[in-house]
Amino acid sequence: EVVGVFAQPDEPAGRGRSIVPPPVKKLALQHRIMVHQPPSLRGSCELERLASLRPDVVVIAAYGKILPEPLLRVPPRGCLNIHASLLPRHRGPSPIAAAILSGDEVTGVTIMVVTKVMDTGPIVAQRQVPVLPHDTAGSLSQKLSGLGAELLMDTLPKWLDGQLAPQPQ
């Protein structure tokens, strides 16, 4: 059960600079899931709001900000991040472009435990996919987002049941 979604605030986009919500907000609203869009997660109000939802685990995907340490302690099963590379390769904000620019023949997704330092937590699961000669950042991004969703659906029940042991990077 998804108890809530925290997303980046809506931002201006495109030529007309009209305000556009992040894709996760659109999907959450379609499924009648509560959405919060605080400008920051550092305030005690947002920490209390998250804690009031009593999540077993928090899942992060393409959030783009370092989470405050007190937030990482809220869910009993921790915070998991879906990262679009086979960590430890291509840490950071542009792993898809980095894989293409490096000429990688294979890339993938990693589900890892979130720690204080970005993209360094222990690995819970990984799945790989070939990088084809005609792949672009857009096509690879689509492949990896689908792969990440599948991996999360396979991994999350096992993680919540304590069947997976994270491995250091």
Side-chain angles (χ1 to χ4, degrees):
E1 177 187 2
V2 177
V3 296
V5 169
F6 282 71
Q8 293 285 7
D10 299 355
E11 292 187 347
R15 289 182 148 190
R17 305 302 290 159
S18 59
I19 302 297
V20 176
V24 69
K25 177 183 179 181
K26 292 179 191 177
L27 185 62
L29 293 175
Q30 287 173 1
H31 291 276
R32 294 187 171 93
I33 298 169
M34 180 175 38
V35 176
H36 301 283
Q37 293 180 277
S40 169
L41 292 172
R42 299 209 174 273
S44 62
C45 178
E46 294 309 324
L47 186 61
E48 289 171 17
R49 181 175 293 177
L50 176 65
S52 75
L53 296 174
R54 300 172 43 110
D56 294 320
V57 64
V58 168
V59 176
I60 298 130
Y63 190 67
K65 292 184 179 179
I66 295 174
L67 300 178
E69 194 172 352
L71 186 147
L72 300 178
R73 293 191 298 263
V74 168
R77 296 296 294 145
C79 299
L80 299 179
N81 181 36
I82 306 169
H83 186 78
S85 81
L86 296 172
L87 290 172
R89 188 156 174 81
H90 304 308
R91 286 190 179 107
S94 304
I96 296 170
I100 291 171
L101 291 171
S102 297
D104 292 358
E105 293 182 7
V106 174
T107 190
V109 292
T110 300
I111 295 179
M112 64 177 193
V113 178
V114 179
T115 59
K116 289 189 302 186
V117 181
M118 188 177 274
D119 297 342
T120 61
I123 294 170
V124 174
Q126 289 185 313
R127 197 167 286 166
Q128 61 183 34
V129 64
V131 179
L132 302 175
H134 63 275
D135 271 327
T136 64
S139 67
L140 199 51
S141 178
Q142 271 199 288
K143 274 197 249 184
L144 292 173
S145 63
L147 187 65
E150 289 172 15
L151 183 59
L152 180 64
M153 296 307 292
D154 291 345
T155 302
L156 202 49
K158 296 173 190 167
W159 176 253
L160 291 170
D161 285 343
Q163 298 174 21
L164 299 174
Q167 302 300 312
Q169 290 192 39

